[in-house]
Amino acid sequence: MLPNVRTLHIRTDDADEARERLAREFGGHSRVPDARGPLGYELFAVGTRGVMAGSTTARLGSTLRAATTGPTLHLPLSSTGRYRVGRRKLEAGNGVAVLLAAGHEYTARLAAGSWLALRIDTTLLSNALDAGGNRPSRAWAFDSVEVQLSAGGVAFVRETIARLRELEAAADRLAKDAIETVECRATYWLADRLQEAQGVGPVPRDSVTVAENIDRWIREHALVPITLEDLARIAGVSARVLQKACNARWGRSPLELVASHRMAAARQRILTAPSTITVTSTFRMSPSSRT
């Protein structure tokens, strides 16, 4: 087994177990089944540090709220999905996949059935786009978009899973070249799909830095009252520039980031506080001073 290739297999009928195990692998998220009964959830994924591909199946539909750690393609096989990313609505089904940008929080209503998924490291994807001769002084902003896929697209993702499984069972001496070949093919394929769907564009690196710094500040001060004017002052840019930077990087406005992080902080506080604490009382307890 190659040390740089690993397999993840989850099979459970319990929604809480599925949520906990997926949270350990892919970050915190919530999953609420649409009906009572066995969830019938199974995930098989295999990947390297740069690329992960796999399949999921569920006997019950569910509502999922999560955020991706890298650009991720959700490709329905025998299911459909309705996604909300910020104010945008996306739908998957009938040859249409949804590509979710890294860091974009989303809510998805997923019908019962089967899916394929392909996740690529953001740096690999950016390097592939840079290889086209674009200016190195600019960074790339990824958007969450619908992607039209033919049967060839489904076959490519299946082939990527098969190649990764072969690597997982291969001898150590095959590691470097074989892994780089699979990562390169998958990365360039997804970069092409992104460009076709107009889900990527160059932005000034300063804009990305502004958006990431303000997101970090909001996380650290989520329970403090915050206005757009506060954020613009802290970022050292105009409100309009900040709006554009956050929409380009996160797919959400600065105040949508505030609302999302406030709710996440409130939930965390409730989980670790006495049972008498509620969302409303959490915000009432928040300090009113601004840093």
Side-chain angles (χ1 to χ4, degrees):
M1 181 183 297
L2 292 176
N4 293 323
V5 181
R6 68 187 187 94
T7 297
L8 173 65
H9 189 196
I10 299 173
R11 179 186 293 169
T12 180
D13 284 327
D14 183 80
D16 289 337
E17 181 183 358
R19 180 173 60 249
E20 291 171 4
R21 294 193 62 185
L22 289 168
R24 289 199 295 268
E25 295 292 335
F26 304 112
H29 75 286
S30 65
R31 179 184 297 268
V32 180
D34 295 339
R36 294 180 180 275
L39 182 62
Y41 181 82
E42 184 168 10
L43 174 145
F44 177 85
V46 59
T48 68
R49 293 178 181 176
V51 174
M52 176 168 278
S55 61
T56 64
T57 302
R59 288 200 297 268
L60 296 180
S62 61
T63 298
L64 175 67
R65 180 170 181 171
T68 64
T69 56
T72 303
L73 185 73
H74 287 186
L75 198 165
L77 296 178
S78 60
S79 182
T80 59
R82 294 182 177 181
Y83 294 73
R84 187 175 185 90
V85 184
R87 298 179 182 177
R88 301 185 60 200
K89 295 181 180 179
L90 306 171
E91 293 193 14
N94 297 321
V96 180
V98 165
L99 197 148
L100 298 159
H104 284 200
E105 290 189 0
Y106 65 93
T107 300
R109 166 68 181 89
L110 307 178
S114 301
W115 295 74
L116 295 178
L118 175 66
R119 185 184 70 189
I120 307 291
D121 176 75
T122 303
T123 300
L124 285 182
L125 205 52
S126 296
N127 290 343
L129 293 164
D130 286 338
N134 297 286
R135 293 172 57 188
S137 60
R138 300 176 75 84
W140 295 97
F142 300 97
D143 201 2
S144 296
V145 291
E146 294 176 357
V147 177
Q148 299 287 333
L149 285 181
S150 64
V154 176
F156 181 86
V157 177
R158 289 189 186 278
E159 180 187 351
T160 300
I161 296 171
R163 286 175 176 264
L164 288 168
R165 293 191 71 175
E166 291 172 359
L167 281 175
E168 198 264 348
D172 288 354
R173 62 184 176 80
L174 300 177
K176 186 176 179 180
D177 290 344
I179 287 175
E180 288 182 355
T181 297
V182 174
E183 288 182 339
C184 184
R185 291 183 73 253
T187 300
Y188 277 90
W189 180 84
L190 192 62
D192 287 343
R193 305 292 80 72
L194 257 174
Q195 291 177 309
E196 290 171 358
Q198 298 182 339
V200 61
V203 295
R205 293 189 183 277
D206 288 348
S207 177
V208 175
T209 300
V210 165
E212 292 182 345
N213 286 344
I214 207 63
D215 179 74
R216 188 179 304 110
W217 188 92
I218 293 171
R219 289 177 185 272
E220 294 172 354
H221 301 81
L223 297 180
V224 177
I226 300 171
T227 68
L228 180 59
E229 291 71 23
D230 292 331
L231 296 176
R233 173 177 54 80
I234 291 162
V237 298
S238 69
R240 183 178 180 182
V241 168
L242 184 60
Q243 292 268 19
K244 292 178 65 175
C246 288
N247 278 316
R249 176 62 182 88
W250 305 113
R252 288 172 291 170
S253 71
L255 292 184
E256 286 175 330
L257 288 174
V258 170
S260 174
H261 293 328
R262 278 170 65 87
M263 291 305 298
R267 285 194 297 269
Q268 183 60 33
R269 190 165 186 172
I270 290 169
L271 289 174
T272 58
S275 59
T276 55
I277 298 296
T278 65
V279 172
T280 301
S281 64
T282 294
F283 290 133
R284 285 176 178 168
M285 292 166 60
S286 304
S288 58
S289 61
R290 296 179 184 137
T291 303

